[in-house]
Amino acid sequence: SWGWSLKEIEAALEANNVGGTAAERGKLAAELLGVLRDAMQKAMASAPDILFVAAAGNDDNDVEFDQSIPGSLDLPNLMMVGAVDQAGRRTSFTASGRRVRVFANGFEVESDVPGGQKMKMSGTSMASPNALNLVGKLLAVRPELTPAQVVSLIERGADTVDGQEGLKLLNPKRTLELLGME
């Protein structure tokens, strides 16, 4: 439930008066994003038996085009999750793109906050735990599944939504039924 984009790094540099001119800041931000991207790519690739489930982000962008990290990484053991509302429609904020593998409810999700209070929160950080919950259930039933097999099951079990091209809506019941057929 974290991420960085070129735009965010540039904004942080500017806010802290680092990097000189706008062009110099842009160049520095690109270098820093490259270091982060390369390190994350190497770290995640070095752990092929671990499935990383990540929030796609809340910038209404294409994670690959905007070079967001981890969203633009192309790894078989990384599953990006976008957010839909209660009707199964993309939220106005969710990031998307071909690397966003599945979508789950991320709108006004009742959440615990410090102090024991509950409040409704929205974001892909609210959606990704739904996918992670399903991952846990699949691995509890079949711990020998590889990350690629888990992602495949989740994608095949997902529902399509009319008028929402490319959206695969998490369907835990159907996914678990598919597991029983294999």
Side-chain angles (χ1 to χ4, degrees):
S1 185
W2 60 271
W4 285 95
S5 69
L6 185 62
K7 177 175 62 174
E8 290 169 320
I9 294 173
E10 282 185 85
L13 292 172
E14 183 175 18
N16 290 286
N17 201 25
V18 175
T21 68
E24 292 168 333
R25 263 193 315 278
K27 183 178 178 186
L28 179 58
E31 289 174 25
L32 293 171
L33 186 66
V35 169
L36 176 60
R37 181 186 53 248
D38 294 348
M40 291 304 305
Q41 177 88 20
K42 184 177 180 180
M44 290 176 167
S46 73
D49 295 332
I50 295 174
L51 177 58
F52 296 90
V53 178
N58 303 320
D59 292 329
D60 184 27
N61 62 344
D62 180 312
V63 295
E64 188 174 12
F65 180 79
D66 280 358
Q67 301 178 41
S68 69
I69 304 297
S72 64
L73 301 178
D74 187 14
L75 295 162
N77 60 334
L78 172 63
M79 184 170 67
M80 300 300 302
V81 182
V84 294
D85 61 20
Q86 291 91 341
R89 306 298 233 184
R90 275 186 182 88
T91 60
S92 61
F93 55 80
T94 190
S96 57
R98 69 183 180 97
R99 298 217 197 283
V100 179
R101 309 298 287 268
V102 70
F103 289 76
N105 182 28
F107 185 74
E108 295 186 1
V109 175
E110 188 167 300
S111 305
D112 293 312
V113 295
Q117 301 295 317
K118 293 192 182 288
M119 66 184 288
K120 291 186 177 192
M121 299 178 72
S122 297
T124 58
S125 293
M126 307 300 113
S128 55
N130 290 299
L132 185 57
N133 183 7
L134 180 53
V135 169
K137 289 175 182 176
L138 292 169
L139 292 173
V141 174
R142 297 259 309 271
E144 72 278 6
L145 291 171
T146 67
Q149 289 171 322
V150 170
V151 172
S152 175
L153 278 165
I154 290 173
E155 287 184 320
R156 288 184 299 142
D159 295 327
T160 58
V161 179
D162 289 339
Q164 300 285 296
E165 184 180 334
L167 189 144
K168 295 177 184 173
L169 183 59
L170 192 72
N171 184 330
K173 182 178 179 185
R174 187 162 170 229
T175 301
L176 286 164
E177 287 171 354
L178 286 173
L179 182 63
M181 293 179 202
E182 293 191 354

